[in-house]
Amino acid sequence: ETEALRQTNQALIREATSVNRTIIGESSKIREVLNIVDRAAPTDANVLILGENGSGKELIAREVHRQSRRAAQVFLSIDMGSISESLFESELFGHRKGSFTGASEDRIGRIMAANHGTLFLDEIGNLPLHLQAKLLSVLEQREVTAVGSHTSQPFDVRIVAATNVPASELRDPNRFRPDLLFRLNTVEIVVPPLRERKEDICLLINHFLEKFNTKRENKVMNVSPDTLDVLLRYNWPGNVIQL
């Protein structure tokens, strides 16, 4: 059973890391981002990715993992804004059977599930201050204690975090703990909004046409000049996802 589980785990990791999620763009701004990724990824430094919704923060996080020494290990993503406060510790740290109502079995937390790999903390800026303190304590000690357990476990994960909260707000101590911010943003990457790299829009359009033409009978072979002009002049508040 152990060997079968090991092989299954390796197969899942290969499947997750082989997904073709190419970062499309040749603009100077996206090249600057990829240059930072190229230099930061091989290190084990924690990375904080800033950018608007839909700008591609998770793609950047996956690229950091893909180019890292942990690429053969798991990349685990967790939306920090979607976790209820009552389940925060259970989700991240795990729990023991009977530790609270509904805990019918032992459960490993996300941090230990990502051990030796990369843990992507998406929307970290939405985490309340009192939960930030709990996360900081675990990251400082590099040990995690499951809810209902008296034994801590050491872990080895690389933290990549992301948020759409502007940098100015993130540096407000009433919004985000400065000590946690210092620990997360060893390397800071700012993903530009699509309106600041409009020269990439044509490349993105061609990419999406190719992608969706393989799935649909009615093929769209090109975009008319008038339509393209409208797309290039639009402000794209929803960024690449909206496009």
Side-chain angles (χ1 to χ4, degrees), residues 19-72:
V19 176
N20 182 17
R21 298 187 176 185
T22 308
I23 298 172
I24 306 296
E26 296 180 356
S27 63
S28 59
K29 285 186 176 290
I30 206 67
R31 286 202 303 268
E32 288 174 11
V33 169
L34 295 177
N35 182 44
I36 298 174
V37 170
D38 291 343
R39 289 185 285 121
T43 74
D44 230 13
N46 291 338
V47 176
L48 177 64
I49 304 172
L50 305 177
E52 297 178 3
N53 284 333
S55 58
K57 296 187 294 296
E58 184 173 346
L59 280 180
I60 298 299
R62 289 183 178 276
E63 186 64 16
V64 169
H65 175 72
R66 190 186 68 81
Q67 294 190 36
S68 75
R69 292 192 293 265
R70 299 173 184 265

Side-chain angles (χ1 to χ4, degrees), residues 102-120:
S104 58
E105 60 183 4
D106 289 352
R107 180 177 177 181
I108 189 173
R110 301 293 185 93
I111 290 177
M112 289 305 300
N115 203 21
H116 304 301
T118 300
L119 183 63
F120 178 47

Side-chain angles (χ1 to χ4, degrees), residues 199-235:
E199 55 265 57
D200 292 332
I201 288 178
C202 291
L203 294 174
L204 288 163
I205 288 172
N206 291 334
H207 167 75
F208 289 129
L209 284 179
E210 181 178 349
K211 175 181 177 181
F212 292 113
N213 276 341
T214 61
K215 300 179 180 181
R216 299 178 181 177
E217 293 183 3
N218 297 327
K219 308 295 185 184
V220 179
M221 303 314 297
N222 53 57
V223 178
S224 71
D226 289 343
T227 300
L228 185 60
D229 182 60
V230 172
L231 296 177
L232 289 173
R233 286 189 289 107
Y234 186 60
N235 201 39

Side-chain angles (χ1 to χ4, degrees), residues 9-213:
N9 189 47
Q10 289 300 314
L12 288 171
I13 290 172
R14 287 195 300 270
E15 180 70 18
T17 55
S18 65
V19 176
N20 182 17
R21 298 187 176 185
T22 308
I23 298 172
I24 306 296
E26 296 180 356
S27 63
S28 59
K29 285 186 176 290
I30 206 67
R31 286 202 303 268
E32 288 174 11
V33 169
L34 295 177
N35 182 44
I36 298 174
V37 170
D38 291 343
R39 289 185 285 121
T43 74
D44 230 13
N46 291 338
V47 176
L48 177 64
I49 304 172
L50 305 177
E52 297 178 3
N53 284 333
S55 58
K57 296 187 294 296
E58 184 173 346
L59 280 180
I60 298 299
R62 289 183 178 276
E63 186 64 16
V64 169
H65 175 72
R66 190 186 68 81
Q67 294 190 36
S68 75
R69 292 192 293 265
R70 299 173 184 265
Q73 303 298 324
V74 68
F75 175 94
L76 189 60
S77 175
I78 178 169
D79 185 347
M80 304 298 284
S82 67
I83 302 177
S84 67
E85 294 188 18
S86 60
L87 294 177
F88 175 81
E89 291 182 82
S90 173
E91 285 289 328
L92 262 69
F93 312 150
H95 64 249
R96 294 290 176 262
K97 180 180 179 179
S99 56
F100 56 87
T101 302
S104 58
E105 60 183 4
D106 289 352
R107 180 177 177 181
I108 189 173
R110 301 293 185 93
I111 290 177
M112 289 305 300
N115 203 21
H116 304 301
T118 300
L119 183 63
F120 178 47
L121 304 178
D122 198 10
E123 300 305 340
I124 189 73
N126 294 333
L127 200 61
L129 283 168
H130 67 283
L131 296 183
Q132 292 176 27
K134 294 181 178 181
L135 177 61
L136 174 64
S137 176
V138 167
L139 295 182
E140 286 180 336
Q141 297 171 14
R142 307 297 291 182
E143 291 183 344
V144 63
T145 303
V147 177
S149 175
H150 301 290
T151 305
S152 61
Q153 293 179 286
F155 63 87
D156 172 29
V157 299
R158 182 186 196 172
I159 301 295
V160 178
T163 181
N164 62 0
V165 176
S168 58
E169 293 184 26
L170 205 62
R171 288 172 173 80
D172 179 357
N174 295 317
R175 175 73 185 266
F176 204 85
R177 291 181 63 103
D179 43 5
L180 178 57
L181 183 60
F182 295 150
R183 186 161 291 274
L184 293 175
N185 75 337
T186 306
V187 176
E188 187 174 288
I189 299 176
V190 180
V191 183
L194 187 56
R195 62 182 173 274
E196 292 183 6
R197 57 181 187 107
K198 288 192 173 182
E199 55 265 57
D200 292 332
I201 288 178
C202 291
L203 294 174
L204 288 163
I205 288 172
N206 291 334
H207 167 75
F208 289 129
L209 284 179
E210 181 178 349
K211 175 181 177 181
F212 292 113
N213 276 341

